[in-house]
Each structure stands twice: as C-alpha cells, then as structure tokens.
C-alpha cells in the first residue's frame, strides 16, 4: 500500500521542469535487459568549447516490481565535478517514462545538471551511485539487504579558444546571438540632475560571466557606476538572459551629450569565430537644470567614526566589568599582554584576497571591486585589483594563453594590508571606510541626493554604530524629499552623538517634523554608552569615598550613579521593542504579500512597534493597537532590530 502511494506520488510529479535539452537525450538511454536496476550517465556532447553550455544527465531504470517492495526511497549520488560552473540542476530524479521489457515494467528516472566548462582539457565525471535496501522477505520485520548500482565514468573534452582569436576576443565571453543596446530616458538629461542610463546586453550563455563593456564617456558628464542587474532566462533549454550595466550620469552644461558607440566581442561556438557587436551612439538633449530648491542643502561630512564611548563598550566590555568589580574585590588586576596574531599568507594572492573579503571563488571582478570600495579602498586601487582578477579569470577560461603571465598590481599588497588591519585592529575600522564616505559626500554636494542617499545608507549598514553615518543618511533623505526617513535617521544619530552640532542644526531646520516626534530626541546631551561609562566612574569614586569615609563625595557619586543608570534603563526600555516611523501612504496587511487583504491605512509619522521581520516585510503594532504586516519601504526604523 505504501509502495502504491509512493508510486502515485512519483507519477504525479511535474516532469515539465525537465530541461528540453535533457529530454532530447532520452533516446540515448534504452531500457536494460536481464537486470533490475541500471544507472547511466552521459554528457550532452563529447566535446565542447570553454564557456559553452553542457548537460550532464543521469538516467536510472528501475524495475517497478522491485521498487514496490522497498520500504524507503532509494538515494542517488550524482557525479560531483570540478572545473565547471553549475548554473542549475534537477537534483531530485523525476519519472519521465515507463517501458515493458520481457513482461516487466521499468520506470525511467532522470536527474540532470547544467554546466559551463571553465578550462580547457579533459573532464571526467565520476560514477553516479544509486543505493537502496531490499527486504529479505515480505515480513515487515525482515532484515534488508543493502545494494548499490553505479554508472560508468564519462568524459568531456573541452577545447580552448583558438590562439588566433584571443586578441580579437579581448576578454569577451562565450555566448550566442548577443545584442547590445543603450537604454536612455526619453526626455533626455537636465543640467545637474542625476539620470540613469543603461547598457543592455542580451543573448544565450552564462549571464554571470559576461564582463562589463568598456565605455569611453564624453567630456562634460560625470559618471557613477551603479549595481549591475541580471535577469536569466531559458529558451528551449538554452540558458541566457539579460544583463543591465547601469550608470548614473550628471551633465554639467546644456546642449547635446552623445553616448559613444560601444564595441563588444564574444566567441560564438556555433560559428567557431569571434563575433563583434556594437551599440550605436545615442544623442541626448541636455536641458537647463531645475530651479534652485526652496531650502539650502543640509551640511554633511565624510567622517564615519564610531563614538569613542560606543567602541569602548563594544570592544572593552570585559575591562569595564573588571573595573566595576575591582573596588569590591580589592585586587589589582594586570591585563595579560595579548599574544601576537599570526597572519597566514598563502602563496596564492587571489586566495588570500578572497579570504579577507569573504567572497566566493565564483564572484566576478565587479563584485570584488565593489567589496573593496565598501571597505574604504580608493576607486583606482579597487579597479586595478578588479582588472587583475579579470585577467586571471580570462586565463582560467582559456581566453588568455596559460603561458601569458598576469602581472600583480602594485597596489595589491597595500590593499591586503588594509584588509588585514580591519580584521586585527577593529578600532581602526572607521578610518577604513572614509574613502567611500568621501565619494558619497561628493555626490551629495554635486546635487545627486538620491545616489548619495544610497551610498550613505550602505555605509550606515556597514557601520551601524556611526552617528555621523546616520546623520548623513538623514540629510540625504531630507534633500530627496523623504522627511519621515530623515527624522528616523536623525533620531538614530541622536542616540549615538547627541551633541553633534551639524546634527542639531539639521534637526532645527527640519520644520516638518511633528511635535510628538521631536519629543523622541534625547533631552540629556549624552549617549547611552557615555552614561554607562559615567556610571562606572561614579561607582569607582563612590566606593573610594566610602572606604575613605568621605561622606559628601560618596553621596554625590552615588546620586550621579543612580541618575545615569536610570536614564540608561529608560532609553534601553524605549528602544527594546524596536520603533519605526511610518511613511505616507502605508497600508497594514493581513500577511507579508503585496496582494494580501488590507487591514487599513496608517497615518504618516505614526510611531509603530516592530514585532518581527520577514523578507521585505515587518510585522508591526500600530499606535491604536492594530497588528499587521507592512513593507520595508513604508517605514523607517529608529532602533536597530534584528529580523
């Protein structure tokens, strides 16, 4: 009965998920004769070019009468390969056919992997192994005999790009039917207004491995690279898709800006030649800029320092505990000298760089360069390291001959030393992000408030204990028209740097903040961490005064101690549930889904309590007691809360 139910479940599987290319290989797996189980593994082709799509299919024929006797599902261990990029796979075998052989019914199970070879040479897929246990008799308590059936190894020959074509290819990918076009706003550009333009690359192949095209930007514009967007698709089993390279462009003067033609070369394995496509030049009118804003831009600075008191509380908490216990124990404690940290220097600089950045091996040069920029490395240095990694990848794929050496950039030792200091000496971390902070400030002062806001928010997420970071986030949000988000960011900055003059001036200028929200700003000009340190000092002084019989000093220190602790507990209690301000147009929903029923609207500037978070959603409690889900974009968190 169990076996029949299992069979019905297997036969009801959706076999349409099987790749059409894998389905086309089914005639290569005829049913066996004279055996109950057979396992066969095949590549979709015997030879392939570097970067060309290949299917690895594992077919299992299982005699139905034997499978009905099994108490547990068989387990299939598919071949594990190296030197190939696995994009997707059908890891769970699906039933795709049934045949009658010599009066017995056999079911065909298929699992497959979609692979892209990364290097030239001979690749051997190890055997796939099917394991199952057959009961010795029909009794439920009968022992089981363990059996295993394996396939034969299969070989794939990968051909490298011909040496005569590598020069014309210029580091391009292996793909088919590629197209490159400009995507620009129909209304053109405006002087001083950041505008997004895109280079859209489409075709068949491994979208992730498509490198960015080189663009010779015209004079008179400032260009800021943005995040690349990938949209993979599959057509008749062939993977491909669209990759958008985004740039924020700011024109300096009115007139016409001509986006240059962009040349992009790729290797077409069908034609066995290098194809070159070109995105034609596009002329964009540049109109006069908008009228000056009604208010002056708020001041920002590029500093990302964490307050000293916060760093002491976070990193020297053990010392604070010892100092608090010292008056009671009456012991002099001498801190043990820390042992020197041994830094491992592997022979391969690429391995060491990825270890420090915690980026996977498959991360491309753009992602690595972005990770370096987020850690404060200068743009030129990050691009130099990214170019070096791109050269290594091209040589690994066979586009560049193995004998050709890829010179290590001179800035690499300096970059890696900076990354090591970030891990070993955490107190220097705020200094390491200053470079990217200056980049955000540059965009802000150039009028690109939206772009500066994205960079400031990324830095604030990276250094959440930096009051200066949240102060800058608030300024950028305010200039972008997000007054609710600005107030939330400034309140978060007040908790860290309540005496910051730039922060207080920005708070004074923001006249749209309601009175009840203004009341959330701290009245005592000291952060919670500063009050904790002041309470520690008061405790030590009070204990010293008690031992020395200095009554007045003991009373004064004790009063200061109790006052500091009271304020700390009050602030801790206010921020414990997690608070957030509601942006205009927010709606409370039954579940975390945009099509879920609406429970009602929530007024802007309402102070909500965060209950728990999901992917892009928060479960909140409104001021009137209603509970429901709201999207991330509809609220601005005041207190740091983990999802």
């Amino acid at each position: 009965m169990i076996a029949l139910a299992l069979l019905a479940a297997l036969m009801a599987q959706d076999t349409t998920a099987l790749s059409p290319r894998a389905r086309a290989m089914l005639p290569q797996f005829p049913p066996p004769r004279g055996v109950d189980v057979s396992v066969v593994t095949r590549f979709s082709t015997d030879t392939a070019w570097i970067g060309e799509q290949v299917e690895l299919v594992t077919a299992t024929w299982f005699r139905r009468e034997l499978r009905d006797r099994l108490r547990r599902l068989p387990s299939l261990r598919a071949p594990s390969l190296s030197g190939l990029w696995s994009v997707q796979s059908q890891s769970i075998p699906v039933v795709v056919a049934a045949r009658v052989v010599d009066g017995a019914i056999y079911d065909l199970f298929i699992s497959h992997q979609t692979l892209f070879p990364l290097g030239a040479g001979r690749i051997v897929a190890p055997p796939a192994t099917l394991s199952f246990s057959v009961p010795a008799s029909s009794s439920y308590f009968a022992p089981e005999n363990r059996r295993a059936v394996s396939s034969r190894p299969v070989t794939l020959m990968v051909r490298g790009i011909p040496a005569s074509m590598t020069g014309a290819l210029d580091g391009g990918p292996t793909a088919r039917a590629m197209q490159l076009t400009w995507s620009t706003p129909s209304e053109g550009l405006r002087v001083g207004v950041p505008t997004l333009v895109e280079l859209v690359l489409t075709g068949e192949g491994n979208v992730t491995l498509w490198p960015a095209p080189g663009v010779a930007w015209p004079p008179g514009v400032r260009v800021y690279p943005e995040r690349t967007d990938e949209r993979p698709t599959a057509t008749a089993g062939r993977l491909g898709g669209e990759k958008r390279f985004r740039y924020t462009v700011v024109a300096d003067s009115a007139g016409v800006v001509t986006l240059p033609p962009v040349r992009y070369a790729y290797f077409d394995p069908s034609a066995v030649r290098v194809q070159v496509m070109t995105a034609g030049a596009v002329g964009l009118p540049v109109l006069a800029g908008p009228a000056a804003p009604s208010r002056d831009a708020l001041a920002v600075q590029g500093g990302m320092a964490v307050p000293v008191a916060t760093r002491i509380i976070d990193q020297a908490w053990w010392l604070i505990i010892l100092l608090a216990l010292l008056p009671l124990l009456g012991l002099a404690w001498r801190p043990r000298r820390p042992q020197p940290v041994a830094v491992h220097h592997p022979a391969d600089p690429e391995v060491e760089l990825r270890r420090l950045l915690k980026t996977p091996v498959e991360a491309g040069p753009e992602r690595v360069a972005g990770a370096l920029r987020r850690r404060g490395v200068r743009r030129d240095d990050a691009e130099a390291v990214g170019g070096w990694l791109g050269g290594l990848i091209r040589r690994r794929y066979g586009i560049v001959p193995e004998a050709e050496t890829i010179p290590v950039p001179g800035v690499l030792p300096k970059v890696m030393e900076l990354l090591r200091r970030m891990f070993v000496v955490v107190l220097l971390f705020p200094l390491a992000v200053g470079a990217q902070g200056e980049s955000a400030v540059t965009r802000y002062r150039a009028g690109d408030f939206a772009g500066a806001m994205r960079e400031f928010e990324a830095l604030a997420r990276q250094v959440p204990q930096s009051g200066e970071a949240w102060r800058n986030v608030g300024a950028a949000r305010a200039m972008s028209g997000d007054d609710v988000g600005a107030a939330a960011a400034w309140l978060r900055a007040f908790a860290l740097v309540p005496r910051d003059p730039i922060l207080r001036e920005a708070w004074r200028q923001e006249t749209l903040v309601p009175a009840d929200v203004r009341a959330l700003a701290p009245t005592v000009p000291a952060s919670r961490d500063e009050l904790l340190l002041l309470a520690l000092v008061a405790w030590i002084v009070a204990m010293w005064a008690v031992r020395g019989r200095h009554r007045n000093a003991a009373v004064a220190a004790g009063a200061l101690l109790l006052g500091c602790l009271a304020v700390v507990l009050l602030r801790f209690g206010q921020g414990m549930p997690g608070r957030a301000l509601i942006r205009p147009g927010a709606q409370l929903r039954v579940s975390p889904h945009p099509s879920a029923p609406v429970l009602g609207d929530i007024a802007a500037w309402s102070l909500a309590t965060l209950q728990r978070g999901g992917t892009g959603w928060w479960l909140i409690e409104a001021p009137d007691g209603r509970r429901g889900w709201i999207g991330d974009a509809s609220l601005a968190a005041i207190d740091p809360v983990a999802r």
Side-chain angles (χ1 to χ4, degrees), residues 182 193-199 212-213 215 217 222-230 243-250 365-367 369-371 373-374 379 383 436 439-440 443-444 447-458 461:
W182 282 106
V193 177
T195 307
L196 190 69
V197 299
E198 299 176 327
L199 269 173
V215 183
W217 296 99
R222 286 163 287 158
V223 181
Y224 304 94
E226 301 289 352
R227 191 182 72 173
T228 301
D229 184 26
E230 297 179 3
K243 193 167 187 177
R244 291 178 174 263
F245 302 94
R246 296 176 172 174
Y247 309 90
T248 295
V249 178
V250 182
E366 296 176 11
R367 180 173 172 184
R373 293 285 296 131
R374 288 191 295 273
R379 181 185 298 274
E383 291 178 351
Q436 192 173 0
S439 172
R443 299 185 71 168
Y444 181 90
D448 183 9
F449 301 121
M453 180 180 66
R454 291 192 295 270
E455 288 200 26
F456 281 138
E457 288 177 345
R461 288 191 295 268

Side-chain angles (χ1 to χ4, degrees), residues 165-192:
M165 301 182 185
T166 55
L169 187 58
D170 192 26
T174 298
R176 289 182 172 88
M178 299 196 81
Q179 294 182 354
L180 182 66
T181 57
W182 282 106
S183 176
T184 59
S186 58
E187 64 276 10
L189 308 177
R190 284 189 175 273
V191 176

Side-chain angles (χ1 to χ4, degrees), residues 336-380:
R336 181 184 302 174
R337 178 175 298 177
Q339 297 295 328
V341 178
V343 181
H344 178 61
H345 299 276
D348 190 346
E350 180 185 4
V351 175
E352 172 70 354
L353 177 64
R354 294 185 182 277
R355 183 186 70 83
L356 293 173
L357 289 175
K358 295 187 176 356
T359 57
V361 176
E362 63 269 15
E366 296 176 11
R367 180 173 172 184
V368 173
L372 290 173
R373 293 285 296 131
R374 288 191 295 273
R375 285 159 175 80
V377 177
R378 295 175 59 250
R379 181 185 298 274
D380 295 341

Side-chain angles (χ1 to χ4, degrees), residues 482-574:
D482 182 11
D483 297 297
V484 176
W490 283 331
L491 287 173
R492 193 159 178 177
F494 268 122
L496 297 166
V497 286
R499 298 183 303 279
D500 186 275
I502 299 178
L503 173 62
R504 287 190 169 274
E505 178 61 21
W507 186 251
R508 185 190 64 80
Q509 294 182 26
E510 188 64 30
T511 58
L512 298 178
V513 180
D516 56 341
V517 176
R518 284 190 174 275
L520 299 176
T523 54
V524 178
S527 68
R528 187 176 64 186
D529 296 326
E530 291 172 338
L531 291 173
L532 280 175
L533 293 180
L534 185 58
L536 174 63
V537 174
W539 164 254
I540 295 175
V541 172
M543 295 301 297
W544 168 81
V546 168
R547 290 183 180 181
R549 300 179 184 277
H550 302 290
R551 181 177 179 180
N552 293 336
V555 172
L560 179 61
L561 170 64
L562 294 178
C564 292
L565 292 179
V567 176
V568 168
L569 292 176
L570 177 62
R571 293 187 181 177
F572 185 79
Q574 290 175 343

Side-chain angles (χ1 to χ4, degrees), residues 364-432:
E366 296 176 11
R367 180 173 172 184
V368 173
L372 290 173
R373 293 285 296 131
R374 288 191 295 273
R375 285 159 175 80
V377 177
R378 295 175 59 250
R379 181 185 298 274
D380 295 341
D381 295 346
E383 291 178 351
V385 175
W388 167 67
L389 285 177
L392 294 179
I393 291 176
R394 290 193 294 271
R395 186 175 66 180
R396 186 178 301 140
Y397 295 163
I399 298 173
V400 176
E402 289 286 343
E404 182 175 337
T405 59
I406 307 298
V408 178
V411 299
L412 184 61
K414 180 179 67 174
V415 170
M416 296 178 69
E417 183 60 28
L418 173 62
L419 296 176
R420 294 190 188 101
R421 288 203 306 269
M422 291 171 63
F423 282 97
V424 177
V425 187
V426 184
L427 288 175
L428 295 180
F429 181 77
L431 303 177

Side-chain angles (χ1 to χ4, degrees), residues 170-173 201 207-214 243 245 264-265 365-366 394:
D170 192 26
L201 184 61
V207 178
T208 304
L209 296 180
W210 294 350
K243 193 167 187 177
F245 302 94
Y264 199 87
E366 296 176 11
R394 290 193 294 271

